[in-house]
Amino acid sequence: MSTLTADEIRRALHENRNLPHGAARNAQAEALTAAAEVCGDTGVYRAALINQIDSYEYSAERSRMVVPFARLLQEYDRDPTAFGPGDAHSLFWRFKWVSGQIISSPDVPISSVTGYLDDMEKRYRIAGYSERAVRQSEYFLADAIGDDERAERAMAQWRTADRDEMSDCHACETNSQGVFWATKGEHAKAIEVWEPVLTGEQTCMEEPHRVLARSLLPLLRLGRTDEARSHHLRGYRMARGKESLLRAIGQHIEFCALTGNEARGVEILAEHGAHLRPLVDVKTQLDFYAGVLVLLRRLIELGHGGDPTVPYEGSAHTVEELHGVLSAEVLDIARRFDVRNGTTRVSERLTERLSRAPLADTLPLGVRSTALPQPAGTAPDAAAAPVPVPVSAAEFSVLVERARDARDTGRPDADRLWAEVAVRVSALPEPDVHPMLTAEVADHRALTAARAGAPDAAELLTAVRDGYRALGQAERAALAELRLASAAAQAGAAPEEVRALLAAGLRAAEALDAAEPLRARRIAVAELSALRLEPYLRSAEAAREHGNEHDHEYGHGHGHAHEHEHEHGHGLLVAELSSFVSSYGQVLPDLASEAEELLGRLALSQGDTERALELLASAADRAVGAGRPWQAADPLVLRAGVLLSLGRPEEAEAAARSGLEHSAEVTDPEERGLVRLTLADVLLRGRGAAAEAAEHALTAAHWFDQAGLTADGGAQARLMLAQAYARDGRTADAAEVLQSALPDLLEHGEGQAVSARDFLGNLLRELRESRAAAEQFLLAADLVEDWEDPRPQAGFAQAAADCLSDAGLADEAVAAYRRALELRRLTGDAVVSEVRILRSLAWLGMREEVTEESVAAARVLMDEAAEVLEAALEAGDAEDPELLSELAQTWHQLAQVLDRLVGSRAPEGTGESHDDGVVLSPAAVEALRLEEIGLWERAAGLYSGLGPEYLQDRFQCVNNAAWTDHELGRPEAGAARMSALLEEAESLPEGAAPEWLVPQARRIITNLTA
């Protein structure tokens, strides 16, 4: 680069400034500085030094800016007059950056730091700047070395000093001043100070990114968990992948470690594993590593010390090994700071951070994370089993009685209680355990195995039945006999085998002694079990018979016979269930409730929604009346969904809320997730209560994850959560949640995949992540490519083109627009979309260069757009306001196209700029100007006919025409145009015209005639 000319270096500097921040940009900036020093142009050399400093500032090599700044300062001291106002401002502005870096560099002695700050104060005073920036730097030094008295004083002086052009931006100052309170433990005050940044009132290149990360732990300590969750989702999205924000990344990792989201923390660490290396900026390294170490310590505590983790400097490490390596490095960095500072401030703060205890057992974040692997050396049952705490014999007896009561009354916590009993029994010597209790624990284990579909479930249930029989517990044996039938059905046994087992179960119940209090219940349970399984058994038989029909090539007519048989079977089942409800409604209301719920589901399957709603409501009422409110949750949730589908949102919400209330004792995570998800859906689609819907969807996702249904119910809950966040204006939160669930949603069928990509694309577009949004729209377009209707593909292609254009990818945008145009023309019913595509193509054709040729091509496209609209108006409603406004907009934009040509090709002396010396003749310019005025007049005329709501568009046309009149040397004509519009606006009823229009029009008239 030493042979580059000054002009070549200037162009290279411009290109360098547009590169992503990082080591590559820094290296090129260094080379350009070396080339500038050789070329001999001092102005270029100063520009190169400033560019090098700026490159370092937004990377992990901030501390390297000290050397180029010293060289820049030498240039200033050598000849201050060579620095214009802009150069001088750049120099003094970067004084603050360098002060921060030498404070953060343990190899710079304190005496040198102090001398630098004294020099900064002197130079600022001579230059006439406020002491505000100097006191800010003094605070940073005092805080770093642990001189709290001086820090308090410097902070007070900083805040009271006048702001001037050397003051940091409001957002950066707010960040640091909030940290002052956070380090004192005054978390509420810190959040209050940070509020303008957190709300977006104050922003800059790295804010609110940093403040969002800093606010996480203070919010947790204040109990404001929802805000902490949102700040993590939004803040990590902003900081992800930016090496200048590694400190913030470390804070997000720490937040995950302290909220039961270790798996999320591991994922974030993996995304930034390449930065886990010795850094030039050791303070950044210290802060980043500290956050990582908090996570690694938690993983070790949870039994994951032997798990593999991200490589470090090319070598594989386990969690425990990596913890040891990083600990040694941060302790050494802290020691270097302590030696330099003469205090233990840095090591004390590091120790406090590394020893922080979790601030929440589990804080659901909403995003999908892959669960941590099972800790090595532990069996699944052992990992999940409660750890027995020694209890007295009396306490154990109470536990057993509670478990029996919960089992006999159907309470949802029965499984948990029996699991605890089983653990305690396993710890007792066998002679100390009553045989009945041994049988009951075996019963619990067999039932758990049957529910899980374990292959040995039937064997375990048979042993339980035999064990109860041996103990003379006939009623318990009868129940075990019945469970064998359910286990056989679940295992896919032949219908005749299942029916035989059901019959055996019923016989066992009927054989119970007439004096047995549970005899009637056992018989009813057997009858209801048979009715529950009957639809499955008939379906299995029908499938087998249908297969036989194909085997024997039966003739036509059997389909009708099957339909008749199905209808007969359905009617018979309804009759039997209804008879069951009548027989047991008074004596066994909980079982009657189950039967009514089945009847309700059958009614739904037949399309009789009103009957289904009655039955489901009755089933819920019976369950509550029977003292089993948890049993009411399922029918109420189903009822809520039906009511919502019927357009009765208020009733749906009432049912869903009642379902949630009655599910308070439910322990099954899938059921808990479904109740919450239903209420979220009802709230969002009903009265749009987005904030509350988000709360329930978030909880639903958590419970589905606990149930192992992350990819199923969890994905639907996250989709609902993203929809609620989006409706509530939390776009970044919505995008983060949806992106995490997208891989699962893509597996839920083509329709769901298309919908999810469309939703994500719109979220990303709103966040101005145009390139990523375009990718989603293009992928959605690919998914619908084979659909018969081309309109969805056209819509996605057009949306992608809009985003590609916004991202500056002109060639890709043109290709996408042409694809969309072709598809729009296939349908012939999307005139407005077709016209907008044509206009966009016109503008894209002039993006690189405005020439007579590119303008001519744009004119052709604009004219084509106008012809399409005129044809549509002639063929349909000639007064269609949408088509008329689009036609006016087309004329307006064509005038702007012509104006661009005049601006780039006007003759010398007209005040217009052009680069290549190719100019238009004065006559050509005048002709184009007159055409522009004519187009704006036509557009304004159309807008006039469309009414006051188009006044703003009309004003733009009149304003453009008026100033073009002025350029043609006839300002009176322009003023007359604006005066006519002003007079009309003033005559309109109050509120019909925008408030700004009248005063703006008056100012323009004055300026035109001045």
Side-chain angles (χ1 to χ4, degrees):
M1 285 204 178
S2 60
T3 60
L4 294 179
T5 66
D7 285 341
E8 288 172 335
I9 295 172
R10 287 191 186 96
R11 285 194 292 272
L13 287 172
H14 175 74
E15 293 171 0
N16 183 252
R17 293 185 193 102
N18 292 322
L19 292 176
H21 290 287
R25 173 173 169 170
N26 293 348
Q28 188 182 65
E30 292 162 3
L32 288 172
T33 299
E37 188 173 16
V38 171
C39 88
D41 187 317
T42 56
V44 170
Y45 180 49
R46 291 194 299 272
L49 287 170
I50 292 172
N51 176 68
Q52 187 179 350
I53 294 167
D54 292 354
S55 295
Y56 290 143
E57 170 64 10
Y58 297 104
S59 74
E61 298 179 337
R62 278 191 173 101
S63 57
R64 284 186 170 162
M65 71 170 62
V66 176
V67 172
F69 179 79
R71 296 168 72 185
L72 185 64
L73 192 59
Q74 287 175 352
E75 289 293 308
Y76 179 80
D77 289 338
R78 183 179 299 116
D79 184 9
T81 61
F83 282 65
D87 288 342
H89 182 277
S90 294
L91 171 73
F92 282 97
W93 181 264
R94 285 155 183 79
F95 243 113
K96 301 175 301 178
W97 293 359
V98 175
S99 71
Q101 291 316 305
I102 61 175
I103 292 169
S104 298
S105 300
D107 298 328
V108 178
I110 286 296
S111 59
S112 298
V113 177
T114 303
Y116 177 89
L117 293 184
D118 289 342
D119 184 46
M120 177 182 174
E121 181 174 10
K122 176 183 174 182
R123 289 177 182 270
Y124 270 45
R125 186 170 58 251
I126 292 172
Y129 295 126
S130 163
E131 68 169 351
R132 189 178 182 94
V134 177
R135 299 285 79 84
Q136 171 182 305
S137 295
E138 182 185 4
Y139 163 73
F140 290 151
L141 173 60
D143 179 67
I145 65 177
D147 188 344
D148 292 334
E149 183 178 343
R150 184 182 180 188
E152 292 268 0
R153 184 171 62 251
M155 173 60 71
Q157 292 171 337
W158 170 14
R159 295 175 62 190
T160 56
D162 292 336
R163 283 190 59 83
D164 65 359
E165 58 186 301
M166 281 301 116
S167 302
D168 267 356
C169 78
H170 286 286
C172 289
E173 285 200 340
T174 298
N175 178 344
S176 299
Q177 291 175 7
V179 172
F180 170 74
W181 295 106
T183 55
K184 292 161 67 73
E186 298 194 33
H187 307 300
K189 179 65 176 177
I191 298 298
E192 179 186 348
V193 171
W194 284 328
E195 195 67 18
V197 177
L198 296 173
T199 59
E201 181 183 337
Q202 297 175 358
T203 61
C204 73
M205 189 169 178
E206 292 188 335
E207 297 297 355
H209 317 44
R210 296 182 301 170
V211 168
L212 286 166
R214 290 190 187 279
S215 70
L216 295 172
L217 299 192
L219 285 169
L220 285 176
R221 291 187 172 106
L222 293 169
R224 294 161 64 173
T225 53
D226 189 56
E227 292 171 80
R229 176 190 302 112
S230 179
H231 289 192
H232 168 66
L233 295 177
R234 186 160 60 105
Y236 178 61
R237 185 176 189 82
M238 290 177 166
R240 179 191 283 126
K242 295 181 174 63
E243 70 170 36
S244 65
L245 293 173
L246 285 176
R247 294 177 183 177
I249 298 297
Q251 288 163 333
H252 283 286
I253 291 173
E254 178 181 10
F255 167 80
C256 293
L258 300 180
T259 57
N261 290 287
E262 294 83 6
R264 166 81 166 171
V266 169
E267 291 175 353
I268 295 175
L269 174 58
E271 288 181 344
H272 297 85
H275 297 295
L276 207 63
R277 65 183 191 276
L279 302 176
V280 173
D281 185 345
V282 295
K283 184 63 168 65
T284 292
Q285 182 181 346
L286 174 68
D287 292 340
F288 176 47
Y289 280 19
V292 175
L293 282 166
V294 174
L295 172 66
L296 296 175
R297 188 204 77 215
R298 283 293 299 146
L299 292 172
I300 293 169
E301 291 171 352
L302 294 172
H304 295 279
D307 291 356
T309 186
V310 296
Y312 185 75
E313 293 196 286
S315 299
H317 288 78
T318 64
V319 169
E320 198 155 6
E321 290 168 348
L322 185 60
H323 183 275
V325 171
L326 300 189
S327 292
E329 294 212 16
V330 297
L331 289 172
D332 179 63
I333 294 172
R335 179 194 57 77
R336 289 165 58 193
F337 273 109
D338 288 348
V339 169
R340 192 278 302 263
N341 295 340
T343 68
T344 56
R345 165 57 59 85
V346 174
S347 58
E348 286 173 359
R349 285 183 171 171
L350 174 65
T351 301
E352 186 275 330
R353 185 176 182 184
L354 296 182
S355 61
R356 285 172 183 163
L359 296 172
D361 292 335
T362 302
L363 176 64
L365 298 178
V367 288
R368 187 201 201 284
S369 292
T370 302
L372 293 174
Q374 188 76 29
T378 61
D381 289 344
V387 178
V389 177
V391 294
S392 65
E395 289 173 323
F396 179 62
S397 178
V398 169
L399 172 64
V400 170
E401 289 307 311
R402 285 178 57 210
R404 286 170 175 163
D405 179 67
R407 177 195 63 198
D408 295 342
T409 57
R411 302 191 75 83
D413 62 345
D415 286 340
R416 178 185 62 79
L417 291 168
W418 277 110
E420 187 176 348
V421 169
V423 170
R424 297 193 183 284
V425 164
S426 66
L428 294 174
E430 188 173 340
D432 292 350
V433 182
H434 193 281
M436 182 60 189
L437 185 55
T438 300
E440 290 174 305
V441 169
D443 192 355
H444 160 71
R445 287 174 175 157
L447 181 57
T448 301
R451 287 171 178 164
D456 61 345
E459 181 183 345
L460 292 172
L461 286 168
T462 300
V464 167
R465 178 199 62 191
D466 295 344
Y468 279 135
R469 284 177 177 171
L471 292 170
Q473 295 292 320
E475 64 90 10
R476 299 296 306 167
L479 188 56
E481 188 88 62
L482 190 60
R483 285 173 177 161
L484 281 166
S486 298
Q490 188 172 355
E496 54 268 24
E497 179 185 344
V498 176
R499 285 201 173 95
L501 290 168
L502 286 167
L506 179 58
R507 286 195 301 272
E510 291 173 335
L512 292 174
D513 191 291
E516 168 58 56
L518 290 174
R519 181 176 183 275
R521 185 173 190 84
R522 292 288 175 262
I523 292 172
V525 168
E527 292 176 0
L528 184 57
S529 296
L531 292 173
R532 278 187 178 281
L533 289 173
E534 191 57 31
Y536 160 74
L537 297 175
R538 287 177 181 165
S539 174
E541 288 173 334
R544 186 167 60 186
E545 291 175 11
H546 185 61
N548 290 337
E549 285 176 16
H550 287 289
D551 291 341
H552 297 290
E553 298 183 351
Y554 280 4
H556 298 294
H558 286 276
H560 295 294
H562 281 310
E563 285 180 22
H564 176 74
E565 184 179 332
H566 174 74
E567 290 173 6
H568 173 73
H570 174 83
L572 182 60
L573 181 58
V574 168
E576 290 172 338
L577 282 168
S578 299
S579 175
F580 183 93
V581 172
S582 298
S583 300
Y584 296 106
Q586 297 300 317
V587 291
L588 297 170
D590 60 311
L591 296 181
S593 168
E594 293 183 36
E596 277 196 314
E597 182 182 344
L598 282 172
L599 282 168
R601 293 179 183 275
L602 288 170
L604 275 180
S605 70
Q606 296 297 301
D608 190 351
T609 53
E610 290 303 323
R611 176 61 179 155
L613 290 172
E614 293 174 8
L615 288 164
L616 293 171
S618 178
D621 289 343
R622 285 186 192 276
V624 174
R628 300 190 177 201
W630 55 86
Q631 192 176 308
D634 277 351
L636 285 168
V637 165
L638 180 56
R639 189 169 189 272
V642 175
L643 287 165
L644 188 62
S645 69
L646 294 175
R648 293 156 66 176
E650 292 181 1
E651 295 175 77
E653 183 176 339
R657 287 195 184 281
S658 184
L660 179 61
E661 177 187 352
H662 291 315
S663 68
E665 294 184 57
V666 170
T667 58
D668 177 67
E670 181 179 1
E671 188 174 351
R672 296 178 76 170
L674 184 59
V675 172
R676 293 278 187 170
L677 183 59
T678 301
L679 180 53
D681 189 21
V682 169
L683 288 168
L684 197 59
R685 291 204 286 154
R687 55 186 176 87
E692 187 183 355
E695 177 187 339
H696 293 301
L698 176 72
T699 307
H702 168 73
W703 286 120
F704 283 126
D705 289 348
Q706 296 299 303
L709 298 171
T710 297
D712 300 306
Q716 295 305 315
R718 288 184 172 88
L719 176 60
M720 183 79 61
L721 177 60
Q723 291 168 340
Y725 279 158
R727 188 84 65 86
D728 202 30
R730 297 167 62 173
T731 310
D733 297 23
E736 192 71 12
V737 169
L738 183 58
Q739 279 184 303
S740 76
L742 187 63
D744 295 327
L745 293 170
L746 295 178
E747 300 299 319
H748 290 196
E750 189 175 70
Q752 179 99 94
V754 170
S755 176
R757 289 205 184 278
D758 181 27
F759 182 22
L760 180 56
N762 282 300
L763 290 173
L764 294 172
R765 177 156 56 178
E766 190 173 342
L767 291 170
R768 298 183 181 178
E769 298 178 26
S770 302
R771 187 189 293 257
E775 180 183 5
Q776 293 303 320
F777 289 131
L778 289 172
L779 289 169
D782 290 342
L783 285 171
V784 302
E785 188 173 5
D786 296 329
W787 288 13
E788 185 176 345
D789 184 355
R791 284 174 293 187
Q793 187 186 0
F796 291 133
Q798 186 169 352
D802 290 340
C803 293
L804 290 166
S805 179
D806 291 341
L809 301 171
D811 293 342
E812 294 86 345
V814 168
Y817 275 129
R818 294 201 181 284
R819 178 184 179 189
L821 184 62
E822 181 182 353
L823 292 164
R824 292 292 189 196
R825 286 175 169 169
L826 282 176
T827 64
D829 61 355
V831 171
V832 171
S833 295
E834 183 180 345
V835 163
R836 290 178 177 175
I837 292 171
L838 290 167
R839 293 198 305 244
S840 297
L841 285 169
W843 285 110
L844 283 169
M846 301 190 303
R847 176 172 290 234
E848 291 187 4
E849 189 177 7
V850 179
T851 64
E852 290 187 67
E853 292 75 17
S854 65
V855 169
R859 182 195 284 271
V860 169
L861 290 165
M862 291 289 185
D863 287 342
E864 185 178 353
E867 290 167 5
V868 169
L869 288 164
E870 288 165 347
L873 286 163
E874 185 177 345
D877 181 3
E879 302 299 322
D880 186 316
E882 183 180 24
L883 296 180
L884 288 171
S885 67
E886 289 293 332
L887 181 57
Q889 185 61 225
T890 303
W891 287 336
H892 185 176
Q893 291 193 30
L894 176 54
Q896 291 176 311
V897 167
L898 300 179
D899 190 61
R900 289 281 299 277
L901 176 61
V902 172
S904 64
R905 294 290 181 267
E908 295 289 349
T910 61
E912 306 288 358
S913 62
H914 46 88
D915 299 325
D916 55 13
V918 179
V919 299
L920 298 170
S921 68
V925 169
E926 182 178 3
L928 286 169
R929 291 295 193 203
L930 290 172
E931 186 177 0
E932 291 171 31
I933 291 173
L935 288 165
W936 277 316
E937 284 178 335
R938 292 166 69 187
L942 281 184
Y943 285 134
S944 177
L946 291 173
E949 58 266 35
Y950 287 89
L951 257 176
Q952 180 170 345
D953 301 279
R954 187 178 167 198
F955 175 87
Q956 291 176 347
C957 294
V958 171
N959 180 55
N960 291 343
W963 282 108
T964 306
D965 276 326
H966 184 276
E967 290 165 5
L968 288 172
R970 50 190 203 190
E972 297 81 7
R977 294 179 192 279
M978 189 58 70
S979 296
L981 181 62
L982 173 62
E983 183 178 348
E984 183 180 331
E986 289 177 325
S987 68
L988 290 173
E990 186 176 354
E995 290 184 7
W996 55 266
L997 194 149
V998 169
Q1000 180 73 359
R1002 287 175 179 161
R1003 280 193 296 272
I1004 290 170
I1005 293 168
T1006 300
N1007 293 333
L1008 283 167
T1009 56

